[in-house]
Amino acid sequence: MAPGNLTKVTEFILLGITDIPELQVPIFFVFLVIYGLTVVGNLGTIILTSVDSRLQTPMYFFLQHLAITNLGNSTTIAPKMLLNFLAKKKTISYYFSAAQLGGFLVFMVAEVFILAAMAYDSYVAICYPLLYMVVVSWQICLLLVSLIYLYSLTIAVTIFSCVFSMSYCSSNVINHFYCDNIPLLALSCSDIYIPETAVFRFSGINLFFSMIIVLISYFNIVLAILRIQSSEGRQKAFSTCASHMMAVTVFYETLLFKYLQPRTNHSLDPDKMASVFYTLVIPMLNPLLYSLRNKDVKDALKRFLNNPCQSLKLM
């Protein structure tokens, strides 16, 4: 497409979660609380894993980057969504929509593979504890996270280019609460077969490979737990793994529901509910499931609250 075609639409209108006027303010406060808890929980996780020397391990390194992706993903979407609940004209500029889509893709793809890395880290720690620091060394952790961010940036640029190479010259009303690739492509007056195929294939490949890693890792973890002789030890291990598996299951189910629907009858309204979960609700719950249920993190939080100045000096 010629570059000049891209300027025909200068802004988009976001329909949001609901168009019922009476629900705008109540829903605003609900999501304000959700976003506030997300910021506090994930920012707290990032700070604790940075300042506390006892949390300087590969497991908490991956947890820190999960918090970064959760915070980044929510912050890409929530502030504009909250403003639109109170605004009469729910618009977003063409360039801001491009920035929002790009940020969403980077953080979402990174989160998918960081969850896979965390599952593999848990598998090695439980199944091969004596080899843990060899298999999951700091050098490998840094390399793995760097590759995840580089890959997510590459995928984001590829999909972003496909979506914004289309012409948007007719309707500018997006049936969503943020600028996602599928609702944007639905507005294009160009042939969307190639970009739509790219979006669904990349999404399918990313979900497939990350889910394979997660499923194999947790399958072997469950087998290892079942071999624990102590019933108290088994119960404690299952309690920890169950919360992690629940969070991962909800996250992947919502993504599978959204991106692996048949394209011929893909509905955008159910997509909104799925999107609420993986962009806002799950980032709020992850600090509770991964951090505050963890004794080491709770102890680190107590030490930080008792002497924050001393903790910050150690950064």
Side-chain angles (χ1 to χ4, degrees):
M1 286 295 160
N5 289 339
L6 299 179
T7 61
K8 290 186 178 179
V9 170
T10 59
E11 64 180 20
F12 294 102
I13 298 171
L14 295 167
L15 291 183
I17 293 174
T18 179
D19 57 357
I20 301 174
E22 294 79 9
L23 294 179
Q24 300 297 313
V25 173
I27 293 177
F28 165 80
F29 283 109
V30 170
F31 284 105
L32 181 63
V33 170
I34 290 174
Y35 180 59
L37 292 173
T38 300
V39 172
V40 171
N42 287 288
L43 194 58
T45 300
I46 294 167
I47 293 171
L48 283 178
T49 52
S50 298
V51 303
D52 196 288
S53 59
R54 299 182 194 182
L55 300 183
Q56 304 297 312
T57 65
M59 178 178 75
Y60 296 110
F61 176 75
F62 289 125
L63 182 61
Q64 181 184 77
H65 285 277
L66 178 66
I68 290 171
T69 57
N70 283 166
L71 183 60
N73 204 0
S74 291
T75 302
T76 300
I77 292 165
K80 182 60 179 175
M81 181 189 73
L82 290 170
L83 286 174
N84 280 350
F85 277 124
L86 304 178
K88 291 183 178 179
K89 192 178 180 184
K90 306 177 190 300
T91 59
I92 182 170
S93 72
Y94 181 88
Y95 294 106
F96 192 91
S97 68
Q100 189 179 65
L101 177 61
F104 164 75
L105 291 170
V106 168
F107 290 119
M108 183 55 63
V109 175
E111 182 177 356
V112 165
F113 286 100
I114 285 172
L115 284 171
M118 290 174 67
Y120 179 73
D121 172 74
S122 299
Y123 158 70
V124 176
I126 292 173
C127 299
Y128 301 99
L130 298 179
L131 296 174
Y132 180 72
M133 292 311 298
V134 177
V135 178
V136 192
S137 65
W138 276 112
Q139 291 83 354
I140 291 175
C141 290
L142 288 169
L143 177 63
L144 185 57
V145 167
S146 299
L147 290 174
I148 286 173
Y149 284 126
L150 179 62
Y151 176 75
S152 65
L153 182 61
T154 303
I155 293 294
V157 169
T158 303
I159 295 178
F160 173 90
S161 301
C162 288
V163 172
F164 282 94
S165 66
M166 300 291 99
S167 294
Y168 296 95
C169 50
S170 53
S171 174
N172 67 336
V173 179
I174 299 175
N175 186 17
H176 218 299
F177 59 89
Y178 70 97
C179 291
D180 197 4
N181 42 49
I182 297 172
L184 273 169
L185 287 174
L187 301 181
S188 177
C189 49
S190 306
D191 182 4
I192 64 170
Y193 175 78
I194 292 176
E196 189 180 45
T197 301
V199 167
F200 280 93
R201 285 189 179 177
F202 277 125
S203 302
I205 290 169
N206 292 335
L207 286 172
F208 174 77
F209 282 108
S210 61
M211 281 184 65
I212 288 295
I213 296 169
V214 169
L215 289 172
I216 292 175
S217 297
Y218 279 117
F219 177 76
N220 283 285
I221 287 170
V222 170
L223 291 181
I225 291 172
L226 291 174
R227 289 195 290 267
I228 297 174
Q229 299 298 321
S230 165
S231 60
E232 184 180 345
R234 280 199 306 271
Q235 185 177 0
K236 183 179 179 181
F238 267 124
S239 175
T240 301
C241 288
S243 61
H244 294 185
M245 287 189 282
M246 181 178 69
V248 169
T249 300
V250 173
F251 177 75
Y252 278 109
E253 279 184 349
T254 54
L255 287 178
L256 287 170
F257 173 80
K258 175 171 182 175
Y259 287 106
L260 299 187
Q261 289 185 61
R263 281 178 284 174
T264 53
N265 60 351
H266 194 106
S267 174
L268 293 178
D269 287 328
D271 276 1
K272 293 182 189 180
M273 295 302 103
S275 298
V276 165
F277 270 92
Y278 65 72
T279 60
L280 298 167
V281 176
I282 292 175
M284 176 192 69
L285 294 177
N286 277 343
L288 300 174
L289 296 172
Y290 287 101
S291 300
L292 294 182
R293 287 174 58 91
N294 184 297
K295 185 178 182 299
D296 293 336
V297 176
K298 287 191 285 189
D299 290 342
L301 179 60
K302 289 176 185 177
R303 288 192 294 271
F304 180 81
L305 293 176
N306 289 334
N307 197 347
C309 295
Q310 182 63 32
S311 299
L312 291 173
K313 285 179 184 177
L314 298 176
M315 289 184 69

